[in-house]
Amino acid sequence: MSKRRAVDPRELRAAVIAVRAWLADEEEPKPPRTDLAAAVRLSLRTLEQVAPGRSVEVRVPPFAAVQCVEGPQHTRGTPPNVVETDARTWLLLATGRLTWAQALDSGRLTASGSRADVSQWLPLVSADQGP
């Protein structure tokens, strides 16, 4: 498997800025699917870069899933360490607008397995900075 191109922090920031009004206020119109997909995919790829490994799978359906965090490598079937959430919750986590504990306590995030807590690598980007 070939290595993916590293995420340019400016590209990630721009993608998140494109959806920041919706992140700040859920009553705002939902961003176009392409903008939302770009923000989710780039932020997940950034997590993959800052926490390399294959012991945890982070899923944000329908946009993307990545494997990250050093540890026992998983290769078949359902991984023992899985994080799953929706796009808005993931982006709130990735930008520091929501904490891991808040997401878990509210049921907006599921995390199973002893290595599934990826909060030490969050936030990944600030949505509050200008372009």
Side-chain angles (χ1 to χ4, degrees):
M1 177 160 61
S2 65
K3 283 272 192 191
R4 292 189 215 200
R5 172 181 67 84
V7 174
D8 179 339
R10 293 170 299 192
E11 184 181 6
L12 171 58
R13 190 172 301 110
V16 171
I17 287 170
V19 300
R20 78 174 160 192
W22 180 64
L23 294 178
D25 181 1
E26 196 170 13
E27 299 302 316
E28 286 287 321
K30 191 172 183 178
R33 182 177 170 87
T34 54
D35 291 351
L36 196 51
V40 168
R41 290 178 181 141
L42 289 169
S43 59
L44 282 172
R45 284 183 42 215
T46 299
L47 176 65
E48 189 178 41
Q49 286 174 206
V50 299
R54 296 182 58 83
S55 70
V56 177
E57 185 166 290
V58 180
R59 301 172 180 167
V60 181
F63 299 109
V66 297
Q67 290 186 351
C68 55
V69 182
E70 287 185 18
Q73 189 176 56
H74 174 76
T75 56
R76 298 184 75 183
T78 300
N81 300 286
V82 176
V83 174
E84 188 164 343
T85 191
D86 61 278
R88 187 167 193 276
T89 300
W90 169 251
L91 291 171
L92 290 170
L93 287 163
T95 59
R97 291 174 180 242
L98 180 69
T99 69
W100 186 264
Q102 290 168 327
L104 277 175
D105 291 347
S106 66
R108 296 168 68 178
L109 170 85
T110 59
S112 62
S114 61
R115 297 178 175 273
D117 183 343
V118 298
S119 62
Q120 72 185 46
W121 293 284
L122 300 172
L124 297 164
V125 64
S126 172
D128 298 322
Q129 297 174 357

Coordinates of all heavy atoms in Angstrom, one line a residue, residues 1-7 45 47-54 67-68 70 73:
M1 N 0.8 -1.2 0.0 CA 0.0 0.0 0.0 C 0.9 1.2 0.0 O 1.8 1.3 0.8 CB -0.9 0.0 1.2 CG -1.7 1.2 1.4 SD -3.2 1.1 2.4 CE -2.6 0.8 4.0
S2 N 0.6 2.2 -0.9 CA 1.4 3.4 -1.0 C 1.0 4.4 0.1 O -0.1 4.4 0.5 CB 1.3 4.0 -2.4 OG 0.0 4.4 -2.5
K3 N 2.0 5.2 0.5 CA 1.8 6.2 1.5 C 1.0 7.4 0.8 O 1.2 7.7 -0.3 CB 3.1 6.8 2.0 CG 3.8 5.9 2.9 CD 3.3 6.3 4.3 CE 4.2 5.6 5.4 NZ 3.6 5.7 6.6
R4 N 0.0 7.9 1.6 CA -0.7 9.1 1.1 C 0.1 10.3 1.2 O 1.0 10.4 2.1 CB -2.0 9.3 1.9 CG -3.0 8.2 1.8 CD -4.2 8.7 2.5 NE -4.9 7.5 3.1 CZ -6.2 7.6 3.4 NH1 -6.9 8.7 3.3 NH2 -6.7 6.5 4.0
R5 N -0.2 11.3 0.4 CA 0.5 12.6 0.5 C 0.1 13.2 1.8 O -1.0 13.1 2.3 CB 0.0 13.4 -0.7 CG 0.4 14.9 -0.6 CD -0.2 15.7 -1.8 NE -1.6 15.8 -1.8 CZ -2.3 16.8 -1.1 NH1 -1.6 17.6 -0.4 NH2 -3.6 16.8 -1.1
A6 N 1.1 13.8 2.5 CA 0.9 14.5 3.7 C -0.1 15.6 3.6 O -0.1 16.3 2.5 CB 2.2 15.1 4.3
V7 N -1.0 15.8 4.6 CA -2.0 16.9 4.5 C -1.3 18.2 4.8 O -0.5 18.4 5.7 CB -3.1 16.7 5.6 CG1 -4.0 17.8 5.6 CG2 -3.8 15.4 5.3
R45 N -7.2 12.3 7.8 CA -5.9 12.0 7.4 C -4.8 12.7 8.2 O -3.7 12.1 8.4 CB -5.7 12.4 5.9 CG -6.4 11.5 4.9 CD -6.2 11.8 3.5 NE -4.9 12.3 3.1 CZ -4.7 13.2 2.2 NH1 -5.6 13.8 1.6 NH2 -3.4 13.5 2.0
L47 N -5.2 13.1 11.5 CA -5.1 12.2 12.7 C -4.2 11.0 12.3 O -3.4 10.6 13.1 CB -6.5 11.8 13.1 CG -6.5 10.7 14.2 CD1 -6.0 11.4 15.5 CD2 -7.9 10.2 14.4
E48 N -4.4 10.5 11.2 CA -3.6 9.3 10.7 C -2.1 9.7 10.7 O -1.3 8.8 11.0 CB -4.1 8.9 9.3 CG -3.6 7.7 8.7 CD -4.2 7.5 7.3 OE1 -4.4 8.4 6.5 OE2 -4.6 6.3 7.1
Q49 N -1.8 10.9 10.4 CA -0.4 11.3 10.3 C 0.2 11.6 11.7 O 1.3 11.2 12.0 CB -0.3 12.6 9.5 CG -0.4 12.5 8.1 CD -0.4 13.8 7.4 OE1 -1.0 14.0 6.3 NE2 0.2 14.9 7.9
V50 N -0.6 12.2 12.6 CA -0.1 12.5 13.9 C -0.1 11.3 14.9 O 0.6 11.4 15.9 CB -0.8 13.8 14.6 CG1 -0.6 15.0 13.7 CG2 -2.2 13.5 14.8
A51 N -0.9 10.3 14.6 CA -1.0 9.1 15.4 C -0.9 7.9 14.5 O -1.8 7.1 14.4 CB -2.3 9.1 16.2
P52 N 0.3 7.7 13.9 CA 0.5 6.6 13.0 C 0.3 5.3 13.7 O 0.6 5.1 14.8 CB 1.9 6.8 12.4 CG 2.6 7.6 13.5 CD 1.6 8.4 14.1
G53 N -0.2 4.3 12.9 CA -0.4 3.0 13.4 C -1.6 2.4 12.8 O -2.3 3.0 11.9
R54 N -2.0 1.2 13.3 CA -3.2 0.5 12.7 C -4.0 -0.2 13.8 O -4.7 -1.2 13.5 CB -2.7 -0.5 11.6 CG -2.1 0.2 10.4 CD -1.7 -0.7 9.3 NE -2.7 -1.5 8.8 CZ -3.6 -1.1 7.8 NH1 -3.5 0.1 7.4 NH2 -4.5 -1.9 7.4
Q67 N -7.2 4.2 9.9 CA -6.6 3.4 11.0 C -5.4 4.2 11.5 O -4.7 4.8 10.7 CB -6.2 2.1 10.5 CG -7.4 1.2 10.2 CD -7.0 -0.2 9.8 OE1 -5.9 -0.6 9.7 NE2 -8.1 -1.1 9.8
C68 N -5.3 4.3 12.8 CA -4.2 5.0 13.4 C -3.8 4.4 14.8 O -4.4 3.4 15.1 CB -4.7 6.5 13.6 SG -6.2 6.6 14.6
E70 N -0.4 3.6 17.3 CA 0.5 2.4 17.4 C -0.1 1.3 18.3 O -0.8 1.7 19.2 CB 1.9 2.9 17.9 CG 2.7 3.6 16.9 CD 4.1 4.0 17.4 OE1 4.5 3.3 18.4 OE2 4.7 4.9 16.9
Q73 N -1.5 -4.6 15.3 CA -2.1 -4.3 14.0 C -3.3 -5.2 13.8 O -3.3 -6.4 14.0 CB -1.0 -4.5 12.9 CG -1.5 -4.0 11.6 CD -0.4 -4.2 10.5 OE1 0.1 -5.3 10.3 NE2 -0.1 -3.1 9.9

